[in-house]
Amino acid sequence: MTHRVWNFAAGPGTLPLPVLERVREELLAYPGAGASILELSHRSPAFETVIGEAEASLRELLRIPETHRVLFLQGGASLQFAMAPMNLLAATDGPAAFVLTGTWSRKALAEARGIGEAVTAWDGSASGFSTVPETLEGLAANAAYLHVASNETIEGVELPPGFEPEGGPPLVCDASSDFLSRPIPVERYGLLFAGAQKNAGPAGLTVVLLREDLLERIPPGLPAMLDYRTHAEHRSLYNTPPTFAVYVLALVTRWVRDEVGGLAAMHERNRRKAALLYEAIDRSDGFYRGHAVPEARSLMNVTFRLPSEDLERAFVAEAAERDLVELRGHRSVGGIRASIYNAMPLEGVQALGAFMDGFRSRHG
Ligand SMILES: *Cc1c(COP(=O)(O)O)cnc(C)c1O
């Protein structure tokens, strides 16, 4: 038997066990192809089926309307920080406006500033990025687009369900760490991008949803690989896409549909898991101090501090002895971060919650 720990890593993160088992079963010969998915040409009929199924499955899960293209790209969310302004900012009036809720939205703003005019529409830095705006409605009405990060992976704050404003400038959303964690109204998004490695598959793949009319904004003269039109016209097969990652993404989307029951069921499961940890924080009489204010708490990344850094180190070490691993917070925030993405089972979160109670009674 293979020994597996409860992996609370922020990304690449844990994948659903049934998906890994399926990958293992099919690894030497993809059904009907007589060769591994790792060996198949991206132009082969087998891979054409895989990428077609990945798109169809995403469209079904997220109810992606016909108005939106699905692109499978590389370069991570970090490349999207540059591609979004290169494609959507240069030829239009008005700056790109950024909602700063944490490290990743701040990075995106810094990148956009090197490309065009970019401004801050809302800034949570004074609270140490522990809050999110109450509403985005009416924000930056004259901007070329409004950039948000729906979940800030490092600070552990998340915009609430239904945060997407109606009307206003096109919404550009970095959904890297909460993609597929809950239903979203895709029709309200101009551009959504997500690195797959947090919640949707292996590293190396970035999923992009793009409203088709925005293709017309793109200025001429961009390098082909950095131009969304290239990838839209070639259905993500302009050059070699990350074939293995696309294959695993297709399996993950089917797992969400068939074994979880879809995105509403996924959301409910994620709410239950997160509640277990936030309850452990809230009943600890201040021993655990959550970073996010309650209204901004992320369902994906639960961040908290202990009374001292020594205790934080002891927490991480003792947890690891019990197979609860990768709990150290990001170096910029410190403390503890438990990433409990879609694939982390309830059982793993229960084990962490019980450990938190036990650690507090031993050290509190
Ligand atoms: C991880 C992460 C990124 C960076 O992703 P890369 O794929 O490493 O470029 C950007 N934004 C968010 C919200 C993330 O969680």
Side-chain angles (χ1 to χ4, degrees):
M1 270 302 284
T2 309
H3 177 68
R4 282 176 60 82
V5 295
W6 298 120
N7 175 13
F8 295 93
T14 193
L15 283 164
L17 187 56
V19 166
L20 294 176
E21 286 168 341
R22 175 82 176 266
V23 169
R24 181 174 63 181
E25 266 166 43
E26 295 182 348
L27 192 64
L28 295 190
Y30 183 78
S36 172
I37 184 73
L38 293 164
E39 303 168 306
L40 289 177
S41 163
H42 59 296
R43 313 269 176 220
S44 66
F47 186 72
E48 292 259 353
T49 306
V50 167
I51 197 166
E53 279 181 13
E55 174 168 350
S57 184
L58 272 179
R59 283 191 176 278
E60 182 191 338
L61 260 189
L62 284 162
R63 303 198 181 149
I64 301 172
E66 284 304 310
T67 45
H68 285 63
R69 298 291 188 97
V70 177
L71 309 176
F72 299 113
L73 307 185
Q74 302 189 58
S78 301
L79 183 58
Q80 294 307 306
F81 293 169
M83 269 179 85
M86 287 172 89
N87 282 263
L88 304 180
L89 188 53
T92 44
D93 295 325
F98 285 74
V99 175
L100 300 187
T101 46
T103 305
W104 289 116
S105 44
R106 198 153 62 177
K107 274 204 158 172
L109 169 64
E111 190 75 341
R113 285 214 162 118
I115 292 161
E117 196 194 346
V119 298
T120 301
W122 187 89
D123 187 352
S125 59
S127 76
F129 294 127
S130 60
T131 59
V132 294
E134 252 166 61
T135 177
L136 302 183
E137 218 69 55
L139 223 53
N142 298 318
Y145 64 81
L146 182 65
H147 176 110
V148 302
S150 47
N151 185 64
E152 286 282 2
T153 322
I154 290 175
E155 288 79 7
V157 298
E158 189 172 20
L159 293 168
F163 75 85
E164 300 86 352
E166 263 196 284
L171 180 65
V172 169
C173 180
D174 174 4
S176 293
S177 52
D178 65 354
F179 190 55
L180 303 182
S181 71
R182 62 188 185 187
I184 54 167
V186 175
E187 66 280 1
R188 291 198 186 176
Y189 289 75
L191 170 69
L192 178 151
F193 55 85
Q197 73 272 20
K198 312 288 168 58
N199 223 4
L205 168 65
T206 312
V207 179
V208 171
L209 312 182
L210 178 63
R211 209 177 69 207
E212 213 162 48
D213 64 284
L214 294 177
L215 290 168
E216 284 154 30
R217 274 197 191 194
I218 300 172
L222 290 179
M225 282 296 287
L226 301 182
D227 187 326
Y228 289 125
R229 283 174 305 202
T230 305
H231 303 289
E233 277 161 24
H234 293 85
R235 298 191 54 248
S236 308
L237 290 164
Y238 171 70
N239 72 326
T240 318
T243 52
F244 181 73
V246 171
Y247 158 73
V248 179
L249 172 92
L251 295 181
V252 169
T253 55
R254 258 179 265 147
W255 171 81
V256 174
R257 183 190 65 188
D258 299 338
E259 292 182 52
V260 180
L263 288 180
M266 190 80 254
H267 190 200
E268 187 48 40
R269 187 190 278 206
N270 287 330
R271 272 197 291 241
R272 268 185 75 198
K273 280 158 39 185
L276 276 176
L277 299 187
Y278 289 119
E279 281 161 14
I281 291 171
D282 291 342
R283 68 170 166 261
S284 73
D285 292 323
F287 182 77
Y288 299 118
R289 282 171 294 117
H291 176 76
V293 301
E295 309 79 63
R297 284 173 165 176
S298 166
L299 299 190
M300 299 282 103
N301 311 95
V302 178
T303 49
F304 53 95
R305 304 297 310 243
L306 273 69
S308 71
E309 289 188 10
D310 278 346
L311 278 171
E312 287 168 353
R313 275 189 288 273
F315 182 97
V316 170
E318 284 186 34
E321 285 166 17
R322 290 162 176 78
D323 280 349
L324 303 160
V325 310
E326 296 274 16
L327 285 162
R328 199 154 63 96
H330 190 273
R331 59 194 177 281
S332 64
V333 174
I336 307 297
R337 169 172 59 173
S339 298
I340 49 172
Y341 298 124
N342 284 354
M344 171 59 67
L346 180 64
E347 205 190 336
V349 179
Q350 282 167 334
L352 177 58
F355 171 75
M356 287 171 71
D357 289 343
F359 186 88
R360 173 167 60 92
S361 51
R362 287 195 301 281
H363 297 272

